[in-house]
Amino acid sequence: MSEPDLDDLPRGVALAWGIAASPQRGPKREMSVERIVEAAVELADAEGLSAVSMAAVASRLGYTPMSLYRYVSAKDDLILLMQESALGAPGPIEGDGWRERAAAFHGALLAAYLAHPWCVEIRITGVSPTPNSAAWMDAGIQVFDGTPLDDDSRLSLTLMLTGSAFWTATVVTGMSGRAVETGSDVDAVGHESDDLLARLVTADEYPSLHRAIAAGVLASGSDPFAFALDRILDGIAAHLDALAAGTDVPPHPGPVPEAAEVIADKKVREARKKVREAEKLLRAAHREERAVLREARERAARDHGKG
């Protein structure tokens, strides 16, 4: 197998893999890509991702922004390297069987996100082509060693577990940030939004949600993220059972849909769009109805007072 051509790698990716050329000249005092990234991570941990700029990092280090550009030529490259450093590489993912390993993988990645909450603010544009990102994917694929799943299925499940950890971290960090802003705690933030929802959701417009709220789902104290992860793992277990029984096969990309199927799918989407539009109009009509009834009651009360 021939060696891959690495000459045209993006600068940030090359820096992450340690194969980018170092600057020929630079500040007289000690400076390195590693020190720049470390300072940027410290800044993001303290003040959030929005506080990170080449100028702010340079100031933190006591240099000019132009000095940093000799090492990291673009802010996007710096963000890539910050994420690579903050999430790090996974430690050993251990457990008795794939299910325990999958839960451990999910927990390890969630902990990494929560340790550096700003990581969830980074825009996802694809798989990050960096060493630690590759290490997390490699660990996720290994979770399913000993199962009949092929590599395509294993990578798909790794992405699903990664997405679950990312979403959980996004919600937790968002609520934690709100708690800091308001000087309260996460429970208080949750109760505040729950109370507003309970006051605004009506049985006419949102019957299912209203029924659930009336049944006490907002005050149940259950952990929706733990429940969701368990159901994900249950689904994988069911798929493995079906494979063992010969009643299922690993998913693979199917054939290109026939023209008739494409047309039918388009018609379904258009029909669903019309349903959503009709539901929107119905909600507006309900609001108008309530306003008219309220106005009528107020008018009747005024007339009664005059009489």
Side-chain angles (χ1 to χ4, degrees):
M1 181 182 295
S2 61
E3 291 294 323
D5 182 8
L6 303 178
D7 293 337
D8 60 348
L9 286 177
R11 172 72 176 171
V13 174
L15 286 170
W17 287 92
I19 54 178
S22 300
Q24 296 301 311
R25 295 177 298 169
K28 293 181 180 180
R29 289 177 289 173
E30 182 180 354
M31 173 70 86
S32 67
V33 171
E34 292 76 17
R35 183 69 191 99
I36 293 170
V37 172
E38 180 183 357
V41 169
E42 291 172 353
L43 182 60
D45 285 345
E47 303 180 35
L49 188 62
S50 62
V52 176
S53 66
M54 299 298 274
V57 175
S59 175
R60 192 177 185 90
L61 291 169
Y63 293 101
T64 64
M66 287 307 299
S67 301
L68 266 65
Y69 282 111
R70 296 178 182 273
Y71 295 84
V72 182
S73 57
K75 183 180 177 181
D76 285 347
D77 292 343
L78 178 59
I79 298 298
L80 177 75
L81 295 171
M82 289 170 61
Q83 182 183 43
E84 174 75 355
S85 173
L87 294 183
I93 305 298
E94 300 176 342
D96 184 14
W98 69 265
R99 184 166 185 136
E100 286 189 11
R101 292 194 298 270
F105 173 86
H106 183 278
L109 185 55
L110 175 58
Y113 278 126
L114 294 180
H116 301 280
W118 49 268
C119 284
V120 300
E121 300 176 37
I122 299 174
R123 185 166 61 100
I124 298 174
T125 58
V127 175
S128 182
T130 58
N132 288 340
S133 177
W136 279 103
M137 286 192 290
D138 186 71
I141 291 172
Q142 288 183 42
V143 159
F144 299 101
D145 283 354
T147 72
L149 295 170
D150 60 16
D151 286 332
D152 182 69
S153 299
R154 295 183 187 199
L155 182 57
S156 295
L157 295 177
T158 297
L159 293 175
M160 180 169 62
L161 291 170
T162 300
S164 174
F166 182 88
W167 171 242
T168 302
T170 300
V171 175
V172 172
T173 56
M175 294 183 69
S176 299
R178 175 63 177 168
V180 171
E181 291 171 2
T182 59
S184 59
D185 55 37
V186 172
D187 287 340
V189 169
H191 291 323
E192 178 186 11
S193 59
D194 290 348
D195 289 343
L196 287 172
L197 194 63
R199 287 165 54 193
L200 296 169
V201 169
T202 64
D204 288 338
E205 294 184 79
Y206 311 97
S208 297
L209 179 58
H210 184 271
R211 183 185 66 249
I213 292 174
V217 295
L218 297 181
S220 68
S222 63
D223 185 343
F225 299 111
F227 178 85
L229 178 60
D230 282 341
R231 300 297 74 75
I232 288 173
L233 300 180
D234 286 347
I236 298 172
H239 178 60
L240 289 171
D241 288 344
L243 286 176
T247 58
D248 202 352
V249 294
H252 290 286
V256 177
E258 296 292 336
E261 294 175 352
V262 173
I263 293 172
D265 185 57
K266 182 179 179 181
K267 289 182 177 179
V268 169
R269 290 198 303 271
E270 290 174 348
R272 287 174 177 169
K273 181 179 179 181
K274 290 179 180 178
V275 169
R276 290 194 297 271
E277 291 172 349
E279 290 173 342
K280 183 177 179 181
L281 290 173
L282 180 60
R283 289 194 294 271
H286 280 309
R287 286 194 295 270
E288 183 177 356
E289 178 187 29
R290 289 196 298 272
V292 169
L293 290 173
R294 183 170 57 252
E295 183 179 345
R297 285 193 297 268
E298 291 172 352
R299 186 184 304 112
R302 288 196 300 270
D303 292 343
H304 180 73
K306 291 177 181 179

